[in-house]
Amino acid sequence: MGDDDVLATLARERGRALFGYAYLLTGQSHAAEDLVQEALVRTFARRRAGFTPDDAEAYVRRAILTTFLDDARRRQRWSGVRHLLGRHDEPARDPAPAVGAVLDVRAALATLAPQERAAAVLRWCEDLTVPEVAARMGLADGTVRRYLSTAGHKLEALLGPLPDDESVPLTPGRTRS
Amino acid sequence: MTEHHDQPRNPLSDALSAAEHSAAARAYEVPVELVRTRARRRRAGRTTAAAGALALVVAGVAVAVPRLADGDGGLRLAADAPAQCSVSPAQIRAGDGVVGADGGDGGWVVETRVVPGTLQPARQGRWAMAVSTTADMQAADYLGTPLGGSIATSVVLVRDGAVVAVLDGSYDMSLEEARSVAVDMQPQPFPLDVDLAGTFVSCETGEDAVLDAGTYQLVATSTIRFGLAARGSDVPGDLHDARSTSEPLQVVVPAGSSTPLAGPTTCGATDDELRDLADPQTNPAPLLLSASSVPRTAASGKNLSLQLAVTNDGPAHIDARTGYPEVVLVRDGVVVGGPGPIEAIGIDLSLDPGASTPLDAGTLLLSCTDDTTPLEPGDYEVWALSTFTPLGPDGARETDADDWSAAAGPWPLQVTGDAVVDDQMPGLLEMTCGTSADELAQWAAITQESPLAVEATAAPADGALSVTVTNSGDVPVTLLPDHLSAGLSDGEQVVGMGLTAMYDATTTTLQPGESTTFSTTYSDPEGCDGPLSTGTYDTWAALGVTVDGTPSTLVAGPVPVELATP
């Protein structure tokens, strides 16, 4: 299957899933669109042999995470000199209406700093263990635990208790993509 | 079978699935052709668009300006040339206007410009610029606050009356199209500023442009949606859509140069022009730039923050507008680092002769040839450059006056190889009424894991709470303190708040082993639920500080204090 076919298949079959992942990270649908587009460009800018849609999705998801964290670091550097009223480093909450628990989760994630949010999504939405989260984010296990500890406190205040056994997958039997 | 501990139900377990099936996801379609085109260009090895470039376009939008037949204007167009290539500059501007729900313009005047001092052109490769849009109506101040958002921004290069190149990733949207799309945005106050970075695509070849020497005009077109928000509200009503095109900005590409030509802060430029602009003998500009605080050491890859000052060195009062200064690093007389993309906000100055005002500046210590590579450790010189636009009595740009530029420097800087990495710093905490003592203890423990040792002490005689920060690492650390707050806890949670000391943006560099102290007061606290009773409380200190470019909250405590007077 050529790259063009892989892209078309990925877009058709997994486009919404990729958008959803980016949406959880950014909290804003427009930012999620930009993130998905950039990740797709990065992935398909390189020709690969035997590239399947499943392979592509894994690459794209990693590119979404990397681009999200890179963008967050770029925004952080001006935190000492920002003066604009009413503008914040963090993406604003999506003004599109959402319902009940879905809004609660997105609103809760929006209270986290970017690294905390990424760690929280990987740990509690994607069911990765702490070592797996650390590998994805390129950080030490201890650093990830710190982010999760901070994120966990904030999320629990809004959503209720979170599981705290870091070595065990959160959802027994759940298949990870 | 794997045994698992009893766990509470994970409230985020369905979050991914819910996001995938959300209304926003159902409305989303991957722009496959756009991705193919951008991937093809990037695969060809051209300079990539910056990861932080903002293409503020609703997905799936097509350009809706009228197309000329091929051959009009004498320019041969590539088959996959951007749509803006087919339009004359006059036709671009003809699509400008403001439209409300009633079809009228509501008396609004919308203007777009490329912000002076932000344009970083290149003969071949990546450009950067900030495009700013304003909306004014005579009665606006009395009716509310204009808030809006950018829908699409298009930037083109014009030469000899024809569009010859289009900024990759920028899009034009007509008013008609804007009226028909639902836009997801967080309304912002004006001016609406868009940072753009990327390569220009040649209309003739459809590939990344290599510009011939000569003069070009850069034209930006902005499509926005906005309205008036009542006082105290952040939701605009009476929405209007507007499209406005900037006045052409002249850009000169000289012959024989293969390096970017944007002035003295261009990557690879010599520091000759910076020296001229810093010397009042050679620079007649009436505004002088100087530094009041410049670190002498900084860690590679991290943020360098400066405190500058602008002084009116002339004989008359000056009103002018500027932005954040550009900061570059020079080595062996050549610009090798900075400036990064600068947040494009307007800073208005009003200075009598001899008067000064502070100006913050900074940059990341990254190579300017590749803005992800940290600078090599070693000795550098720091320069800052500002551009000032003179304003008339009405606050508008003086049409007959040129901009002024002024530089300051050089300041020696030692770039070190080891940095306090941002994942060692605690993150951000807002200590407030109700913050649990357990959480504060956890933050204090995390703070102690950082390379900074933080100790809080109380002075009952004057009710002072002091926080001493010591660099317990082996590399210098820069601190930009923001605030210090004191919270009084009853052992369970914060029940009263002392004074919060706020700090001016002054950077301090702590050498290894060096300490600095910050103070506030805990006496006469404000109780969270009425006046606090006399007795002993645990006092916690929360210091908001940016450490080597990483915003952090350092927590220390608890320190027992006695409140003798309710």
Side-chain angles (χ1 to χ4, degrees):
Chain A
M1 185 184 274
D3 273 6
D4 283 353
D5 294 330
V6 171
L7 171 59
T9 303
L10 183 67
R12 183 178 60 249
E13 297 180 1
R14 300 301 292 161
R16 290 179 185 175
L18 293 171
F19 175 90
Y21 181 50
Y23 198 16
L24 272 190
L25 286 173
T26 61
Q28 195 178 31
S29 59
H30 182 76
E33 290 170 10
D34 287 346
L35 196 54
V36 171
Q37 189 186 128
E38 176 62 22
L40 286 168
V41 170
R42 288 188 183 193
T43 300
F44 287 90
R46 296 177 181 273
R47 290 195 184 281
R48 306 167 207 274
F51 204 38
T52 68
D54 282 348
D55 297 332
E57 181 175 359
Y59 275 107
V60 174
R61 281 180 174 270
R62 271 203 292 280
I64 286 173
L65 179 68
T66 305
T67 305
F68 170 72
L69 292 173
D70 285 349
D71 286 352
R73 286 190 199 103
R74 287 171 198 263
R75 283 196 299 273
Q76 269 189 337
R77 70 180 184 234
W78 295 116
S79 63
V81 294
R82 292 182 82 97
H83 299 285
L84 284 178
L85 296 176
R87 289 182 65 169
H88 306 279
D89 286 329
E90 298 310 312
R93 209 176 301 180
D94 194 330
V99 179
V102 173
L103 177 59
D104 289 343
V105 166
R106 291 215 321 260
L109 286 171
T111 66
L112 306 180
Q115 294 91 341
E116 295 168 5
R117 194 178 315 148
V121 168
L122 292 173
R123 174 75 184 117
W124 290 305
C125 300
E126 287 212 84
D127 289 0
L128 302 185
T129 63
V130 167
E132 289 170 337
V133 172
R136 285 276 189 99
M137 294 180 68
L139 299 172
D141 286 7
T143 306
V144 168
R145 286 194 194 92
R146 191 157 45 234
Y147 285 142
L148 290 175
S149 175
T150 308
H153 276 77
K154 294 178 186 176
L155 293 175
E156 285 183 333
L158 297 169
L159 302 175
L162 286 166
D164 59 5
D165 186 339
E166 65 184 45
S167 64
V168 176
L170 295 170
T171 312
R174 176 171 166 170
T175 300
R176 295 181 195 164
S177 58
Chain B
M1 177 183 285
T2 304
E3 301 256 341
H4 301 289
H5 301 281
D6 256 351
Q7 299 276 8
R9 186 191 174 278
N10 177 8
L12 282 85
S13 59
D14 298 325
L16 270 175
S17 175
E20 179 180 344
H21 295 94
S22 65
R26 289 199 302 276
Y28 175 69
E29 278 189 28
V30 173
V32 173
E33 289 309 313
L34 176 61
V35 168
R36 275 205 188 104
T37 302
R38 289 186 59 199
R40 188 169 59 243
R41 293 201 181 108
R42 198 172 295 191
R43 189 186 304 145
R46 269 75 167 185
T47 308
T48 60
L54 300 176
L56 294 183
V57 175
V58 175
V61 165
V63 174
V65 291
R67 298 182 72 93
L68 295 175
D70 279 352
D72 277 352
L75 183 68
R76 184 175 167 181
L77 302 180
D80 61 346
Q84 294 99 310
C85 294
S86 305
V87 184
S88 71
Q91 286 182 306
I92 291 176
R93 195 175 299 281
D96 287 355
V98 182
V99 179
D102 61 358
D105 65 11
W108 288 100
V109 175
V110 175
E111 293 183 335
T112 293
R113 68 187 188 120
V114 178
V115 181
T118 68
L119 180 62
Q120 298 176 22
R123 181 158 181 247
Q124 179 182 5
R126 177 182 160 190
W127 291 57
M129 68 204 75
V131 176
S132 182
T133 304
T134 58
D136 290 303
M137 183 171 70
Q138 194 169 5
D141 284 347
Y142 302 99
L143 299 175
T145 303
L147 298 177
S150 181
I151 302 174
T153 307
S154 169
V155 180
V156 302
L157 282 176
V158 176
R159 195 177 189 192
D160 299 328
V163 175
V164 297
V166 177
L167 188 70
D168 192 14
S170 71
Y171 298 91
D172 193 0
M173 183 188 291
S174 70
L175 278 178
E176 290 73 24
E177 200 137 16
R179 299 302 291 168
S180 66
V181 298
V183 181
D184 219 347
M185 67 172 68
Q186 180 69 22
Q188 303 290 337
F190 281 84
L192 300 180
D193 295 324
V194 175
D195 293 327
L196 297 169
T199 56
F200 270 94
V201 175
S202 166
C203 292
E204 198 166 2
T205 65
E207 301 296 333
D208 286 353
V210 179
L211 299 173
D212 294 332
T215 302
Y216 298 77
Q217 291 79 47
L218 187 139
V219 178
T221 302
S222 172
T223 305
I224 66 171
R225 177 164 295 163
F226 68 100
L228 273 179
R231 292 190 189 282
S233 169
D234 60 1
V235 179
D238 189 22
L239 294 177
H240 285 68
D241 290 318
R243 182 176 176 280
S244 69
T245 301
S246 69
E247 292 300 316
L249 188 67
Q250 187 160 293
V251 178
V252 176
V253 178
S257 170
S258 61
T259 59
L261 302 157
T265 59
T266 304
C267 192
T270 68
D271 61 1
D272 294 341
E273 193 172 352
L274 287 169
R275 292 185 183 279
D276 287 342
L277 290 172
D279 185 352
Q281 302 293 327
T282 52
N283 182 5
L287 292 173
L288 296 182
L289 199 63
S290 60
S292 52
S293 173
V294 180
R296 289 194 167 268
T297 61
S300 178
K302 291 300 177 179
N303 191 41
L304 176 72
S305 297
L306 317 179
Q307 179 82 69
L308 303 179
V310 181
T311 302
N312 181 355
D313 192 44
H317 178 87
I318 290 177
D319 290 310
R321 181 165 296 150
T322 187
Y324 289 124
E326 295 176 278
V327 176
V328 293
L329 283 299
V330 168
R331 201 174 200 184
D332 299 324
V334 175
V335 175
V336 295
I342 297 173
E343 187 178 8
I345 70 166
I347 302 171
D348 284 348
L349 311 174
S350 183
L351 296 171
D352 288 329
S356 296
T357 191
L359 203 57
D360 295 329
T363 190
L364 271 181
L365 296 178
L366 300 173
S367 165
C368 61
T369 56
D370 168 7
D371 68 358
T372 61
T373 301
L375 283 177
E376 286 182 7
D379 295 323
Y380 294 80
E381 291 180 326
V382 181
W383 289 87
L385 177 75
S386 276
T387 302
F388 307 94
T389 301
L391 303 177
D394 58 353
R397 183 198 173 100
E398 286 249 30
T399 52
D400 296 331
D402 292 331
D403 286 352
W404 302 307
S405 289
W411 306 291
L413 178 74
Q414 184 186 35
V415 174
T416 59
D418 297 318
V420 174
V421 295
D422 56 13
D423 59 32
Q424 293 179 353
M425 297 312 301
L428 294 175
L429 165 74
E430 185 181 349
M431 181 172 67
T432 185
C433 284
T435 302
S436 76
D438 285 346
E439 183 174 7
L440 290 170
Q442 190 170 35
W443 275 87
I446 293 172
T447 298
Q448 295 309 320
E449 291 180 17
S450 77
L452 297 173
V454 184
E455 184 183 5
T457 55
D462 55 7
L465 180 70
S466 297
V467 170
T468 300
V469 179
T470 303
N471 182 358
S472 57
D474 51 13
V475 297
V477 170
T478 58
L479 304 180
L480 184 63
D482 182 71
H483 67 273
L484 172 63
S485 55
L488 279 70
S489 161
D490 62 358
E492 297 289 329
Q493 62 181 352
V494 172
V495 294
M497 295 293 295
L499 272 183
T500 295
M502 305 296 296
Y503 298 101
D504 293 334
T506 301
T507 300
T508 301
T509 299
L510 290 184
Q511 299 299 322
E514 209 174 359
S515 299
T516 188
T517 299
F518 306 90
S519 295
T520 185
T521 58
Y522 65 84
S523 57
D524 196 21
E526 184 173 335
C528 297
D529 291 309
L532 292 178
S533 53
T534 57
T536 303
Y537 293 85
D538 289 335
T539 302
W540 293 88
L543 176 68
V545 59
T546 297
V547 182
D548 280 347
T550 300
S552 306
T553 305
L554 307 180
V555 174
V559 179
V561 298
E562 193 73 27
L563 277 192
T565 308

